[in-house]
Amino acid sequence: MEYLDFELPIKELQEQYNKACEIGLDSEVDVTDTCQQIKQKLDNKKKEIYSNLDAWQRVQLSRHPNRPYTLDYINAICGSTFMELHGDRNFGDDKAMIGGLGKVDEQSFMFIGQQKGYNTKTRQYRNFGMANPEGYRKALRLMKKAEKFNLPIVALVDTPGAFPGLEAEERGQGEAIARNIMEMSQLKVPIIVIIIGEGASGGALGIAVGDTVMMLENTWYSVISPESCSSILWRSWEHKKTAAEALKLTANDMKKLKIIDKIIKEPLGGAHSNREKAFEIVTKSILSEFEELKKLSPEDLVEKRMQKYLDIGVYSD
């Protein structure tokens, strides 16, 4: 397990607990009471730290190297039923954007999401989770297929942003994202969106227009990353913590601003600390939302979705 700076007190107690348990196993000394005391301290310290996280610490947790990515969730939720589909039928197959069909409790879903890598090689292969225009066009193609066959859509968002390279702009990055936003707002099937990690800028919004938008507890959703905001305002990344607070990018902030609908509580310590529990919680959230959305007619789905986004940002004295 890798630990972030603010998690170091937890690391120390965890090491003490492991050492005490090893002594008990390797000798005849009864260390049960000692282990229980350290375990109690460990649990209390975790509650203390994770119940008082600031915006920047949640950004750090959303990027934790052990945090589950899109394919981890899909494989855990769908198992062997997931069948990945490839290509935008125009330019190529973007490895940063994945999609395909999968079953959850005998109900078929179309899954879409950005995928990051686990090491240097796979990060390059996945382009660090930053999709090119063909990635967004692939996502739209699959969503249109879902609409054709009346299948609900689940979008899992985890990206530092759309790829900003010259070739991406030449192939119409802005147009691809804009078209996705327009088309998703009018799809006649349920769309469930979950921010599972980073939700940055148009790169996230390109697959995040949904009937229900949820965020995992330790994720962020914003028009710009704290580092980029800091570099624009202060010409330095040193003020990223201040920028994170000012951007109001946490799940709680998004809920208060009515930009998202629900917050999915993570296991204590973050989704990476108990992956199986995190997968179980996300699966229940998807099924619960689908049960409500399937009651609506296609016309009502589109009308409510359009109104939901028209209402964002409305302010009155």
Side-chain angles (χ1 to χ4, degrees), residues 5-14 42 45 49:
D5 290 344
F6 64 88
E7 295 177 308
L8 292 180
I10 296 172
K11 180 184 179 182
E12 291 174 9
L13 286 169
Q14 186 68 58
L42 179 60
K45 181 58 70 174
I49 289 175

Side-chain angles (χ1 to χ4, degrees), residues 35 155 181:
C35 287
I181 294 170

